[in-house]
Amino acid sequence: MPQINMVQAINDALRLAMQRDPRVLVMGEDVGKVGGVFRVTAGLHEEFGEARVIDTPLSEGGIIGTAIGMALYGLVPVPEIQFSDFIFPAYDQIVSELAKMRWRSGGEYSAKMVIRTPVGGGIRGGLYHSQSPEAQFIHVAGLKVVCPSNPYDAKGLLLASIADPDPVLFFEPKRVYRAAKGEVPEGPYTVELGKAAIAREGAHVTVVAWGAMLYEALEAAHQASARGVEAEVIDLRTLWPLDIDTVVASVKKTGRVVVVHEAPRTCGLGGEIVSLITERAFTHLEAPPARVTGFDTPFPYTTELDYLPLAHRILPAIVDAARY
Amino acid sequence: MLRVPIPEGPDAGLFRVLRDDGSADPANDPFLSPEQLGAMHRQMRRLRVLEARMVVLQRQGRVGFYGSCTGQEATPIAVGLALSPDDWVFPALRESAIMLVRGFALTSYIAQVFGNSRDLLKGRQMPSHMSGRSVNQVSWSSCIGPQIPQAVGCAMAMQRAGKREIAVGFSGDGATSQPDFHNAMTFAARFAAPCLIICQNNHWSISVPTAKQTASATIAVKGRAYGVPSVRVDGNDVLAVYVAVRDAAARARDGGGPSFIECVTYRMGAHSTSDDPTRYRSNEEVESWARKDPLDRLERYLRRAGLLDDAALAALDDELKAEVERAIDEVEPAPPPSREQLFEDVYASPTWPLLEQRAALSQVPKAESPH
């Protein structure tokens, strides 16, 4: 099997989806001739033409607003928001319209689409090319939210997202766009939405992570092992609806949990995960659930490595939980 | 010294068909048949009767809210009659009734106002947010403007499908201040989308008059900078709106791209049943617009043409009032939707958090109905 990176895997998934289903189209800023600022849509314009790979005007609200109209009519748009930091001009269209379309119409209408957008820090992008706004969409009824960590999952989850009947926000961790490589089968396959993966087995502490921070969690687990602490690392993959059964089963085994995310701590997804665990596995807990997260500050330019929950910040949380 | 000349393009006057004396301008008259005129009049009159009745229902505490289109009936009726069944409609607050013109049942429409189990929307939306897939009409949201780029996107999809269908998106004058209006214009023109964007300029965004909404001389002129052909129409002249919409629709179907139509009209009633317009506008202003009432204008024309008299009008009113009353009587007794339906349609299938929450709700007694 070929070794490819996440950019190539997502590109492969888009090409396959467009080949298989004429309703699928790609639209966004710079997605056409240049193939997107991260080259994720490279070659699609040549293969499918400008009617299906649409360079749009520079307006995120316009991109999602028109994509909703297309989806209502029966197309399956896969709009790209160039950076997830730029998604907020489209926030009303996403949360007030897209997310509520099926419900508010009594099930008569739906607007199926997959919004792809690079997420997270680590590329020296400062406060407007680095944020992780996933919780702001999970808090809205009607959306599914996905964040793969590796090429195999990226391709399979994107194909599953395009096939899913509900609107999906597909966050692509740009820090590992090219760094994360792996074997990816040719041809179509799906990775089921709502299923987490055990990235590393361990008996002492559960670590829940996703996207680029999965690799920091794995590195911290590796270092903890040298101190005699075996961490079980869960790659959440689908952030909502999350795989609560896998998370709770692991915590019931370990009795300890550390949740890692780049987004600011307060009202982040980590808080929800800790609440769900506490409700379901309270009597199994041997230590207070811990969060290792970004801070309640804007995302910094020069000091981004201090902001991110890297392995050196996750390691003490794992060890503390184990020794509590 | 300034050397660059600043052009001051004159804005074309209002496009009109119906003159004050009840005659029609032969240059613009669509020459509808007596049957078409009768249908147009019946629809306008029914809408006038319906809106008045719905406001009374709210005052009686039988429904929670209503936003009436009284005084603005010409545009929804003209648009409904000018479109084809396969076209799509994305209304704002005061155009929901287009769906009635296009065959949506009055009982289902009124059931939405009651929000009970007869309501296709399962009691989820406030009154005046109707939608119906059977007539290709999507509801607006109470947020102002989002439906306009949605109409444009729908039209872009129609264009791709190679159909001769069009989409129509509506706004009020206030919505033309929103980014969504700008986005819709930008995309519509850039992609030559087969759509109509129609603004009902009723002079008031709740309490803010158009003069305080924008420094733009007209609303129509806003469309021109985007490359969208834009016209200004007497929105209280149902024949003028009909001609403008029919022509713009034909151009869109023939690949001629989008049009923007400003319909100049007036909101005769309150913004909604939650509003008191006497706090911010004068009786004199309301009276001056009452003299331009769109229904009076059409009836003056019909009388002059020998198509209407007092007896016929009285009989029609009795018939329409009875029709509305029958529809109310039929749907009002329906029970409320079940509370379990709250959890349906959030996703195609309920997710585990929704199933848990539904189960938890079923364990507690039902809340007392506020209505």
Side-chain angles (χ1 to χ4, degrees):
Chain A
M1 263 189 284
Q3 286 262 342
I4 61 173
N5 63 35
M6 284 185 70
V7 168
Q8 294 166 313
I10 295 165
N11 180 273
D12 190 26
L14 289 171
R15 177 176 287 103
L16 285 169
M18 294 180 77
Q19 285 171 348
R20 292 164 59 186
D21 186 347
R23 299 174 306 159
V24 177
L25 62 87
V26 164
M27 60 193 292
E29 296 155 7
D30 306 295
V31 299
K33 227 166 193 176
V34 75
V37 297
F38 288 102
R39 306 292 179 264
V40 174
T41 57
L44 300 180
H45 187 261
E46 288 80 349
E47 183 170 347
F48 299 102
E50 64 182 7
R52 290 183 71 195
V53 183
I54 305 169
D55 269 327
T56 65
L58 205 166
S59 166
E60 292 80 13
I63 292 168
I64 303 302
T66 54
I68 290 172
M70 293 178 187
L72 286 166
Y73 191 74
L75 299 180
V76 181
V78 186
E80 174 180 298
I81 299 297
Q82 199 161 76
F83 287 83
S84 58
D85 313 73
F86 304 166
I87 205 165
F88 293 100
Y91 197 62
D92 181 56
Q93 286 286 354
I94 296 171
V95 308
S96 303
E97 305 288 317
L98 177 63
K100 296 171 171 60
M101 194 61 75
R102 186 192 301 277
W103 191 85
R104 82 178 198 198
S105 65
E108 284 204 325
Y109 286 113
S110 64
K112 165 59 207 167
M113 73 176 68
V114 179
I115 301 173
R116 294 182 36 254
T117 184
V119 73
I123 63 156
R124 292 184 63 80
L127 67 169
Y128 299 124
H129 301 80
S130 305
Q131 296 170 87
S132 296
E134 66 273 359
Q136 296 173 65
F137 296 93
I138 293 170
H139 198 60
V140 178
L143 301 172
K144 292 179 178 173
V145 181
V146 171
C147 185
S149 67
N150 62 69
Y152 180 90
D153 285 351
K155 179 175 170 180
L157 286 168
L158 183 53
L159 286 171
S161 297
I162 292 171
D164 193 87
D166 295 308
V168 178
L169 265 94
F170 195 85
F171 287 108
E172 301 170 359
K174 64 178 97 75
R175 187 180 189 225
V176 294
Y177 250 156
R178 293 174 191 281
K181 292 185 176 140
E183 292 192 342
V184 174
E186 290 178 15
Y189 65 90
T190 56
V191 172
E192 190 182 351
L193 300 187
K195 295 290 179 206
I198 309 282
R200 180 190 196 277
E201 291 194 8
H204 302 142
V205 180
T206 299
V207 182
V208 180
W210 57 86
M213 290 305 102
L214 178 78
Y215 300 96
E216 300 299 323
L218 288 169
E219 173 60 23
H222 175 69
Q223 293 175 21
S225 182
R227 302 191 194 185
V229 177
E230 295 302 333
E232 179 149 292
V233 179
I234 295 176
D235 180 356
L236 211 49
R237 302 200 291 192
T238 296
L239 307 188
W240 201 258
L242 61 79
D243 183 355
I244 191 62
D245 293 341
T246 295
V247 171
V248 166
S250 178
V251 173
K252 284 184 175 173
K253 180 173 75 174
T254 62
R256 299 150 205 277
V257 62
V258 176
V259 184
V260 179
H261 61 64
E262 293 185 39
R265 164 170 303 225
T266 300
C267 289
L269 180 55
E272 183 63 33
I273 293 172
V274 167
S275 288
L276 289 166
I277 290 168
T278 309
E279 288 163 359
R280 283 165 169 73
F282 183 70
T283 57
H284 295 265
L285 288 171
E286 305 284 350
R291 290 176 289 170
V292 185
T293 67
F295 301 107
D296 292 352
T297 70
F299 195 103
Y301 174 65
T302 302
T303 57
E304 73 171 346
L305 295 182
D306 295 303
Y307 181 93
L308 289 168
L310 301 182
H312 70 280
R313 284 176 53 205
I314 303 170
L315 176 63
I318 293 174
V319 172
D320 286 354
R323 294 185 180 157
Y324 184 82
Chain B
M1 181 182 152
L2 298 174
R3 289 178 188 280
V4 181
I6 299 173
E8 288 189 39
D11 209 65
L14 285 184
F15 178 80
R16 298 179 72 181
V17 173
L18 292 174
R19 295 170 174 145
D20 292 341
D21 65 1
S23 65
D25 179 349
N28 298 333
D29 192 341
F31 296 106
L32 298 181
S33 69
E35 292 73 26
Q36 288 174 306
L37 288 166
M40 181 179 263
H41 176 242
R42 169 181 282 268
Q43 292 282 359
M44 279 183 77
R45 195 87 214 170
R46 182 169 75 159
L47 189 49
R48 176 70 52 96
V49 168
L50 175 68
E51 300 296 80
R53 193 70 188 94
M54 293 299 106
V55 170
V56 169
L57 287 186
Q58 193 278 337
R59 291 289 180 250
Q60 293 172 336
R62 291 158 69 184
V63 302
F65 173 90
Y66 202 75
S68 94
C69 73
T70 299
Q72 298 181 221
E73 295 95 339
T75 291
I77 300 307
V79 171
L81 292 171
L83 295 184
S84 299
D86 288 340
D87 297 332
W88 282 55
V89 176
F90 293 76
L93 167 58
R94 296 183 214 283
E95 295 87 19
S96 293
I98 291 172
M99 65 202 296
L100 290 174
V101 184
R102 301 176 80 219
F104 193 76
L106 181 64
T107 44
S108 297
Y109 193 87
I110 292 175
Q112 197 280 332
V113 182
F114 282 103
N116 62 26
S117 55
R118 288 286 299 267
D119 173 17
L120 294 177
L121 312 188
K122 306 179 185 176
R124 290 170 181 162
Q125 295 232 49
M126 284 176 82
S128 305
H129 294 66
M130 299 82 175
S131 75
R133 175 138 208 152
S134 63
V135 289
N136 295 333
Q137 186 161 316
V138 180
S139 84
W140 70 302
S141 77
S142 311
C143 313
I144 297 300
Q147 69 279 1
I148 322 170
Q150 291 168 14
V152 174
C154 183
M156 290 167 69
M158 292 164 165
Q159 180 184 49
R160 247 198 77 197
K163 302 278 183 66
R164 285 177 58 80
E165 302 160 357
I166 63 167
V168 186
F170 285 89
S171 80
D173 40 303
T176 68
S177 300
Q178 287 278 25
D180 277 322
F181 173 80
H182 174 89
N183 294 340
M185 287 289 177
T186 301
F187 278 65
R190 153 72 179 80
F191 295 101
C195 64
L196 276 50
I197 299 170
I198 302 178
C199 171
Q200 283 219 69
N201 174 5
N202 71 8
H203 289 82
W204 290 93
S205 302
I206 305 187
S207 69
V208 175
T210 313
K212 288 185 178 176
Q213 185 68 239
T214 177
S216 183
T218 68
I219 300 294
V221 73
K222 293 190 180 194
R224 292 186 196 132
Y226 297 94
V228 177
S230 303
V231 295
R232 201 157 185 260
V233 175
D234 182 340
N236 284 10
D237 177 344
V238 65
L239 293 179
V241 178
Y242 180 83
V243 170
V245 171
R246 187 194 62 184
D247 289 0
R251 189 166 60 241
R253 293 186 209 286
D254 290 341
S259 297
F260 179 44
I261 301 172
E262 176 189 359
C263 298
V264 180
T265 183
Y266 193 77
R267 193 192 78 209
M268 290 305 294
H271 164 71
S272 74
T273 48
S274 307
D275 176 41
D276 172 13
T278 63
R279 295 170 64 92
Y280 53 77
R281 66 183 190 185
S282 69
N283 278 336
E284 291 73 26
E285 181 184 297
V286 177
E287 285 307 312
S288 76
W289 278 95
R291 288 192 288 276
K292 305 174 195 167
D293 182 90
L295 202 49
D296 288 349
R297 301 250 316 263
L298 179 63
E299 287 172 357
R300 213 175 303 154
Y301 170 79
L302 294 175
R303 285 174 191 272
R304 189 183 166 113
L307 298 171
L308 187 72
D309 57 27
D310 287 345
L313 188 57
L316 177 65
D317 255 7
D318 288 346
E319 183 191 334
L320 295 173
K321 282 176 183 165
E323 181 189 357
V324 169
E325 221 48 48
R326 270 198 312 276
I328 293 169
D329 289 347
E330 181 181 329
V331 301
E332 187 176 12
S338 78
R339 57 182 184 172
E340 285 73 24
Q341 283 186 315
L342 172 62
F343 302 94
E344 294 171 5
D345 306 321
V346 181
Y347 297 95
S349 319
T351 54
W352 66 261
L354 292 174
L355 294 174
E356 280 190 6
Q357 291 162 29
R358 186 173 71 185
L361 181 64
S362 72
Q363 297 300 310
V364 301
K366 285 188 177 157
E368 296 289 325
S369 170
H371 302 306

